Amino acid sequence: MPTIHDVARLAEVSIKTVSNVLNDYPHVRPATRQRVQAAIDALDYQPNLSARGLRSGRTGLVSLIVPDLTNAYFAELADVVMRAAEAQGLSVIIAQSGADRERELSLIRGPRMQMVDGILFSALALSEDDNDLLAAIKKPMVLLGERILHGPKDHVTMRNVEGSQAATAHLLERGRRRIVALGGDSAQGVGSAALRLEGYRRAHAAAGVEVDEDLVVEVVGWFRSTGAAAMREFLARGIPFDGLVAFNDLIALGAMRVLQEAGLQIPRDVAVIGFDDIDETRYSLPTLSTIDPGRSEIAEVALRFLADQFDHPDAARAPRDHLTAFRVVERESSASAR
Amino acid sequence: MPTIHDVARLAEVSIKTVSNVLNDYPHVRPATRQRVQAAIDALDYQPNLSARGLRSGRTGLVSLIVPDLTNAYFAELADVVMRAAEAQGLSVIIAQSGADRERELSLIRGPRMQMVDGILFSALALSEDDNDLLAAIKKPMVLLGERILHGPKDHVTMRNVEGSQAATAHLLERGRRRIVALGGDSAQGVGSAALRLEGYRRAHAAAGVEVDEDLVVEVVGWFRSTGAAAMREFLARGIPFDGLVAFNDLIALGAMRVLQEAGLQIPRDVAVIGFDDIDETRYSLPTLSTIDPGRSEIAEVALRFLADQFDHPDAARAPRDHLTAFRVVERESSASAR
DNA sequence: CCCGCCCTCTACAACGTTGTAACCTCACTC
DNA sequence: GAGTGAGGTTACAACGTTGTAGAGGGCGGG
C-alpha cells in the first residue's frame, strides 16, 4: 500500500502538499496540483482512513441501531439512511438490537461506538426513564421513532397521533363503525402503541363514534406472526367488527391472512389499513392501504441533525424535534364499496 | 476522552502495560492487571479504534455489498451476516450497489474499502469477464451468490441447480406437467437464472417430461413488481399451465397476486414454489412453498473464509468454493390435493 | 555461587495522516 | 527601492496505539 510519503517522493513535493491536494486546500499552484494528482494516479494511492481518523478525530462512519433488519420497515429505513449518508460522504455501520434492553445499552455504550462520528438510534426497549443513560453518551446522536419522545437528544419521527387519526378516520368515513385497533396497548403509556391508540380515539371522538374497548387488541412484538396470532384470538371471541386499523403493516398482513382463512372478505367484510407503507403492501392480496410515514424525510432530517451536531460539538442547545409529514395511501383493503 | 496515557498514569504503570492488559498479554502480574483494570473502569476508558487500526492494520470492520436491502432476501442475509460477524468481534458496513455495474466497481475499489479488513461481495452486475478487476483487489474478499462462480476469490453459495431441480421435481411429483419457469432466461449463460433454469430442465429430463420452451419466461429484475408484470404478460398469451417455479420468492409473490386476480386458485389451478424462504412466505395467502438456501450457513462459512484470509494474508492457494445444503419447504401453495 | 533464563515491566519508535508555524518568493504599495 | 502582504510550500509535531528491544529481579541448575 503506497502512503502519502510515496506520493510526495514521486511528485517531488512535501507530504503536506500532497495532503493539501487531497483535502482541496485552495492555495496550491495548479501545476503542483496536477503533478501530485498524477503521482496519486500512478501509484493508485488511497489515503489510510485509520490514520486520518486518528489525526482528525472524524472517521466518516455513522452507526444505525435498529431492532431488526428482517423487519421490512427497518430494512427500508436502512436503505434511505444509507442513501442520505452517502450524500454526505458517510458510511453506515448497522447494528441490530433485537429490541433487547441490555443489547441496546451495550451497543450505544460499547467500544464500537468509539469509532463512529454519530449514532442514529431507533430505540425500542430503552425509555424516557433512561434519559440519564442517554445523556451520558457524548457522541452526536439522533433518536428515531416514538419510544423516546422527550429525550436528551435530537429526535425525528412521524406524526403518529395524526397519522393514526387519519387512518382511523379513513375507515370511519367509509362507513365502518366497529374498528379493531390491532397493536393498541391500553396499559402502556409510551411508544407507538400509545400514540397510535390516541389517534384512534381522537378519530372516533371527532366522528362522534364511541370506542368499544373490546376492539382494542394488544399485540406484543409487531410481526406477521404476532399479528396473525392476535387476530386469531380476537376472532375466537366472536366480537363483531367491520374495520381494522393495524399499527404496522406486518401486523396487518398477518391479520389479513387470518381473516381470509376464516372466510372473511377484505374489504367487503372488514376494511383494513396498516402503517408504514412497506413495499409488500403493494403486492399483498388484497393490496394494503396504509400510512406512508415519510421515511426518506426521516432519514434526511436525521442526518442533517447529526451533521449539525458534528459542526457544533458543544452547542448546549435544547434537543430538537422533527415530525415528518405522513400520507394516507389508499389501496384495495379499504376500498369504499361494501 | 481518556487515553491509555491517563490510565497508565492513574495505575502508575507504563502505557505498554496498559496495552498488555487490554490485549490479554499473559505475562502481567495479577495485582498489576487488577490495578490497571481499576483505572480503566474508573476513567471509563475505551481504546481509540482509529489508533489501534492505524498501528495494527486491522480495523475490525467488514463490508457487505448487496444489491438492495429492500429485497427481503438480502435483508435476511445481512441479518445472519451481522450475527456471524459479531461472533468474531467484527462490525459490518453495509453498502448497496443497486445491481449497477459502475457502482459495484466503485464500491469494491473505493476509498471506503481501504478501512475494512475484508469484503463480502454479492455481485449482480460484474461477471466472470471481470475476473481481472476482482483479482486486482488485494483485500480479503468472499464472493456470494451465483453471478461469479469461478472467480479469483473464495466463493459461497447454495446448490442452485440441485435446488431448482428439487423445486421443479416437487411440482412434477404432484402431477403438474406444464410448469412455468418464471425468471428463466434462455439467453443468459450465467447467474442464478441460468443455473436454476438448468435445474428445471434436469428435473423434467429425470421425470421424462419434455420442456415446452413457451413456459420459460424471462423476468428482468427479480422483484414483486417484475414478477407480477411477467405473469400478467404470460397470462395474456393464453398458454395453458398448472405449475409455477419462480426463481425467487418475490417473483412468486408478485405472480401469485396476479394469478389470484385472474381468478385462478392456488394450488388447485396452479401449484407454486419459490426460492429463498423469506419470512413473508410464511404469511402470504396462500403460504408459499420455497427452497431454503441455508442462509446462516452461507454467512458463517463466508466469514470463516474471510477469517482464513485474514490469518494467511499471502497464501496463494486456489480460491475455495462452498456450496450450502438447501431444503425444500412445502407450504400451501404446492399442497398435493388437486 | 554464578550463570542463564523466565517473568514482569519499561522506554522508544513507528503506523500515516493533518495542524501549526514558519519560510521563501513574488507582486504591489507608497 | 524598501516595506508589506499574500500565495505557495515546507519541516515538524502530534493524534493514541502496539511492536521491539531490552532492563531488572528472582529462581533453578550446574
Side-chain angles (χ1 to χ4, degrees):
Chain A
M1 280 266 121
T3 75
I4 205 173
H5 288 92
D6 301 317
V7 176
R9 203 171 311 123
L10 184 59
E12 300 184 297
V13 296
S14 75
I15 55 167
K16 189 62 224 268
T17 298
V18 177
S19 172
N20 285 340
V21 170
L22 290 171
N23 294 285
D24 284 324
Y25 178 73
H27 301 306
V28 178
R29 218 184 316 159
T32 313
R33 185 181 298 278
Q34 218 163 16
R35 202 146 37 90
V36 170
Q37 192 56 54
I40 289 175
D41 295 343
L43 295 175
D44 200 15
Y45 165 78
Q46 294 195 330
N48 180 315
L49 298 181
S50 291
R52 179 175 283 180
L54 169 59
R55 182 62 240 233
S56 70
R58 291 274 302 264
T59 58
L61 295 176
V62 162
S63 180
L64 171 67
I65 302 177
V66 294
D68 177 12
L69 263 197
T70 294
N71 182 322
Y73 176 77
F74 292 109
E76 297 187 13
L77 178 66
D79 171 39
V80 289
V81 164
M82 287 165 56
R83 287 174 205 278
E86 186 172 343
Q88 305 206 21
L90 298 167
S91 294
V92 181
I93 297 181
I94 300 182
Q96 302 188 103
S97 69
D100 177 71
R101 182 187 157 81
E102 287 313 310
R103 239 183 103 62
E104 284 189 348
L105 275 176
S106 68
L107 280 175
I108 62 176
R109 298 193 290 201
R112 267 283 129 59
M113 290 307 120
Q114 198 286 315
M115 89 176 331
V116 300
D117 292 340
I119 306 172
L120 298 174
F121 181 27
S122 196
L124 218 66
L126 291 186
S127 70
E128 287 176 15
D129 297 343
D130 301 300
N131 275 352
D132 296 355
L133 296 173
L134 281 177
I137 309 282
K138 281 154 206 152
K139 289 259 173 232
M141 185 182 220
V142 175
L143 295 168
L144 305 177
E146 301 77 46
R147 178 74 184 174
I148 302 174
L149 291 179
H150 306 287
K153 304 287 182 182
D154 288 347
H155 176 227
V156 183
T157 190
M158 69 166 294
R159 295 188 181 277
N160 270 276
V161 177
E162 292 86 344
S164 171
Q165 178 169 357
T168 311
H170 177 81
L171 298 188
L172 287 167
E173 285 159 12
R174 278 156 187 73
R176 309 302 166 134
R177 282 298 171 271
R178 296 196 47 81
I179 301 174
V180 175
L182 204 51
D185 179 350
S186 18
Q188 202 176 354
V190 302
S192 322
L195 295 172
R196 293 181 186 177
L197 187 56
E198 172 64 19
Y200 170 87
R201 292 193 196 285
R202 284 200 197 165
H204 280 79
V209 178
E210 202 170 336
V211 171
D212 178 351
E213 294 298 330
D214 281 348
L215 297 176
V216 176
V217 177
E218 184 176 344
V219 179
V220 181
W222 287 4
F223 316 117
R224 281 191 194 82
S225 54
T226 52
M231 180 46 74
R232 211 167 275 129
E233 242 176 78
F234 179 78
L235 284 178
R237 296 171 59 197
I239 300 172
F241 67 109
D242 58 5
L244 166 61
V245 178
F247 286 1
N248 81 357
D249 286 338
L250 293 180
I251 293 180
L253 291 163
M256 284 214 298
R257 162 74 220 231
V258 170
L259 290 173
Q260 293 180 90
E261 269 175 7
L264 292 166
Q265 291 211 20
I266 303 169
R268 199 196 59 190
D269 304 325
V270 183
V272 180
I273 187 165
F275 239 95
D276 287 350
D277 192 30
I278 62 177
D279 186 51
E280 189 179 338
T281 57
R282 291 177 190 76
Y283 296 94
S284 57
L285 191 69
T287 55
L288 177 62
S289 299
T290 188
I291 301 294
D292 169 3
R295 241 188 310 270
S296 40
E297 184 184 345
I298 292 177
E300 279 153 26
V301 173
L303 273 150
R304 194 157 65 239
F305 279 3
L306 262 196
D308 284 356
Q309 293 185 41
F310 296 162
D311 296 341
H312 313 289
D314 29 38
R317 53 162 173 51
R320 284 170 299 181
D321 241 294
H322 181 93
L323 296 175
T324 61
F326 65 88
R327 206 167 47 87
V328 178
V329 182
E330 176 170 2
R331 299 211 177 90
E332 294 165 356
S333 68
S334 68
S336 303
R338 247 195 120 135
Chain B
M1 280 266 118
T3 74
I4 205 172
H5 289 92
D6 302 317
V7 176
R9 202 172 310 123
L10 184 60
E12 300 184 297
V13 295
S14 75
I15 55 167
K16 189 62 225 267
T17 298
V18 178
S19 172
N20 286 340
V21 170
L22 291 171
N23 295 285
D24 283 323
Y25 179 74
H27 300 306
V28 178
R29 220 184 315 161
T32 314
R33 186 181 298 277
Q34 217 162 18
R35 200 146 38 89
V36 171
Q37 192 56 54
I40 289 175
D41 296 342
L43 296 175
D44 200 16
Y45 164 79
Q46 293 195 330
N48 180 314
L49 298 182
S50 290
R52 179 175 281 179
L54 170 59
R55 182 64 239 231
S56 70
R58 292 274 302 265
T59 58
L61 295 176
V62 161
S63 179
L64 172 67
I65 302 177
V66 293
D68 177 12
L69 264 197
T70 295
N71 181 322
Y73 175 77
F74 292 109
E76 297 188 12
L77 179 66
D79 171 39
V80 289
V81 164
M82 287 164 56
R83 287 174 205 279
E86 185 171 344
Q88 306 206 21
L90 297 167
S91 293
V92 181
I93 297 182
I94 300 182
Q96 301 188 103
S97 69
D100 177 71
R101 182 187 156 80
E102 288 312 311
R103 238 183 103 62
E104 284 190 348
L105 276 175
S106 69
L107 280 175
I108 62 175
R109 299 195 289 202
R112 267 283 128 61
M113 290 307 118
Q114 199 284 317
M115 90 178 328
V116 300
D117 292 340
I119 307 172
L120 298 173
F121 180 28
S122 196
L124 218 67
L126 291 186
S127 70
E128 289 178 13
D129 298 343
D130 301 301
N131 274 353
D132 296 355
L133 296 173
L134 281 177
I137 308 284
K138 280 153 207 153
K139 288 260 173 232
M141 184 182 219
V142 174
L143 295 168
L144 304 177
E146 301 77 46
R147 178 74 184 173
I148 301 174
L149 292 179
H150 306 287
K153 305 286 183 184
D154 288 346
H155 176 227
V156 182
T157 190
M158 69 166 293
R159 296 187 181 277
N160 269 277
V161 177
E162 293 86 343
S164 171
Q165 178 169 357
T168 311
H170 178 80
L171 299 188
L172 287 166
E173 286 160 11
R174 278 155 188 74
R176 310 301 165 135
R177 283 297 172 270
R178 296 196 47 80
I179 301 173
V180 175
L182 205 53
D185 178 351
S186 17
Q188 202 176 354
V190 302
S192 323
L195 295 172
R196 293 181 186 177
L197 186 55
E198 172 64 19
Y200 170 86
R201 292 193 195 284
R202 283 198 199 166
H204 280 78
V209 178
E210 202 170 337
V211 171
D212 177 352
E213 294 300 329
D214 280 349
L215 297 176
V216 176
V217 177
E218 185 175 344
V219 179
V220 181
W222 288 4
F223 315 118
R224 282 190 195 83
S225 55
T226 53
M231 179 48 72
R232 212 167 274 127
E233 242 176 77
F234 178 79
L235 283 178
R237 296 173 59 199
I239 300 171
F241 67 108
D242 58 5
L244 166 61
V245 179
F247 286 2
N248 81 357
D249 286 338
L250 294 180
I251 292 180
L253 292 162
M256 284 213 299
R257 162 75 221 231
V258 171
L259 290 172
Q260 294 181 88
E261 268 175 7
L264 292 166
Q265 292 212 17
I266 303 170
R268 198 197 61 189
D269 304 324
V270 183
V272 180
I273 186 164
F275 240 94
D276 289 349
D277 192 30
I278 63 177
D279 187 50
E280 190 179 338
T281 57
R282 292 178 190 76
Y283 296 92
S284 57
L285 191 69
T287 55
L288 176 62
S289 299
T290 188
I291 302 294
D292 168 3
R295 241 189 310 271
S296 40
E297 185 184 345
I298 292 177
E300 279 153 26
V301 174
L303 273 150
R304 196 158 63 239
F305 279 3
L306 262 196
D308 285 356
Q309 294 184 42
F310 295 163
D311 296 341
H312 312 289
D314 29 38
R317 54 162 172 50
R320 284 170 298 182
D321 242 295
H322 181 93
L323 295 175
T324 61
F326 65 88
R327 207 167 47 87
V328 178
V329 182
E330 178 170 0
R331 298 210 178 92
E332 295 165 357
S333 68
S334 67
S336 304
R338 252 197 114 139

